[in-house]
Amino acid sequence: MKMTGFLFLMVALSLGACSEHPKPDVPVTSVVLDTQPTVKVEPGAVAPEKSAIELKMEELGLVNILELDSTIQVDLRYSTENNFTHKDMYGDLNRCYLQKEVADKLVAAQSELKMQYPYYSLLVFDGARPVSIQQLMWDSVDLSPMDRQKYLSNPANRSLHNYGAAVDVTIVDEHGTELDMGTPYDFFGELAHPRKEAEYFESGELTETQLINRELLRSVMRTAGFSRIETEWWHFNSTSRVRAAEIYPVIE
């Protein structure tokens, strides 16, 4: 039986095709972003004081991921206007928090990535998110309720972000340039869906390079104990929603 191009690529990836990633002088990349931490501090200056919501997260046991590994890049999109709402949704939340064991997994994923490609780094777009912000996002999307649930968790049902048990992430090179994943972060469309990759590879709408980059991200996150979802290449869960509700407080 003839193997399709996509199946052949997936077999090649499983056998280690990611070793074909370029050296630093030949990066496979897309757009250049400012990937410095959202909270920027001039050399010699004191970091801004933590806000009430940040202190509340710490009281709940969550940790600032940069305090565990400062090599991880952070571009907390919802604390800027560079997101699908075009508004700063987070207000005084400017640092990226996760549950401690989830943050430890992210550190492990960064270590795995650095072991394979020292010039690459994880770039985090989002971590813990209060339910109140989830509601604001839900209300900001101009989509039918059915379509809305494809891209956002209903606040009534909670998101794993609302427990600090999910992370949105990609990979950047040594220049702070994102690897080409085929779509931007928070792309509302099926081209971002891992479950649709075979279809879009066969049609030419996703390239081999883009799939190799996605699989590299998935492999380091999977090795660290995260699982993917089928509708967003950037989103990774540390546990199930049921389990999170049992072991973590919800962030209101």
Side-chain angles (χ1 to χ4, degrees):
M1 182 170 60
K2 185 177 179 181
M3 183 179 292
T4 68
F6 180 78
L7 286 177
F8 180 82
L9 176 60
M10 291 300 101
V11 170
L13 289 174
S14 70
L15 294 176
C18 286
S19 63
E20 296 303 314
H21 266 261
K23 294 299 185 285
D25 57 336
V26 193
V28 177
T29 52
S30 56
V31 296
V32 178
L33 296 177
D34 176 5
T35 57
Q36 296 302 310
T38 302
V39 178
K40 296 182 175 65
V41 182
E42 295 297 326
V46 177
E49 291 186 3
K50 293 173 182 176
S51 64
I53 182 58
E54 291 170 340
L55 292 173
K56 179 62 176 178
M57 286 193 179
E58 293 185 358
E59 288 176 12
L60 294 174
L62 286 82
V63 296
N64 175 0
I65 60 173
L66 291 181
E67 292 182 359
L68 297 186
D69 187 340
S70 61
T71 71
I72 295 173
Q73 301 291 310
V74 175
D75 180 16
L76 198 61
R77 287 294 181 86
Y78 300 116
S79 70
T80 74
E81 295 181 358
N82 183 19
N83 59 67
F84 73 90
T85 71
H86 305 295
K87 299 176 182 178
D88 180 348
M89 304 295 289
Y90 278 179
D92 290 338
L93 175 57
N94 294 303
R95 295 168 172 87
C96 188
Y97 284 84
L98 291 170
Q99 294 291 343
K100 175 62 165 60
E101 62 183 324
V102 181
D104 286 340
K105 288 182 181 181
L106 191 66
V107 170
Q110 173 80 338
S111 178
E112 176 67 21
L113 178 62
K114 288 287 188 183
M115 183 172 64
Q116 295 184 44
Y117 305 102
Y119 44 91
Y120 283 171
S121 176
L122 294 177
L123 167 65
V124 178
F125 293 124
D126 199 23
R129 179 191 306 156
V131 176
S132 58
I133 303 300
Q134 190 78 22
Q135 185 68 55
L136 286 175
M137 289 181 178
W138 181 261
D139 294 339
S140 297
V141 179
D142 186 19
L143 294 170
S144 69
M146 181 175 296
D147 286 339
R148 191 177 306 181
Q149 293 189 74
K150 293 178 182 178
Y151 305 107
L152 280 173
S153 292
N154 189 323
N157 301 328
R158 305 295 187 253
S159 161
L160 277 173
H161 283 293
N162 303 148
Y163 298 97
V167 62
D168 294 346
V169 64
T170 190
I171 297 173
V172 295
D173 67 12
E174 76 281 12
H175 303 296
T177 306
E178 288 183 45
L179 299 197
D180 184 357
M181 299 294 181
T183 77
Y185 172 62
D186 260 0
F187 178 81
F188 284 9
E190 292 185 344
L191 200 61
H193 295 194
R195 68 183 176 195
K196 291 282 190 174
E197 286 173 355
E199 176 183 334
Y200 287 118
F201 178 70
E202 295 297 339
S203 70
E205 293 171 85
L206 286 176
T207 67
E208 180 178 346
T209 293
Q210 290 162 349
L211 292 186
I212 287 174
N213 290 341
R214 287 189 186 190
E215 181 56 28
L216 175 60
L217 176 62
R218 286 195 288 256
S219 70
V220 298
M221 295 297 282
R222 183 170 59 242
T223 297
F226 288 96
S227 61
R228 74 179 195 184
I229 63 173
E230 294 301 324
T231 56
E232 298 173 344
W233 59 257
W234 55 81
H235 180 104
F236 293 88
N237 293 333
S238 177
T239 188
S240 70
R241 198 177 310 189
V242 171
R243 179 62 176 155
E246 292 174 348
I247 62 177
Y248 301 133
V250 67
I251 305 162
E252 299 290 353

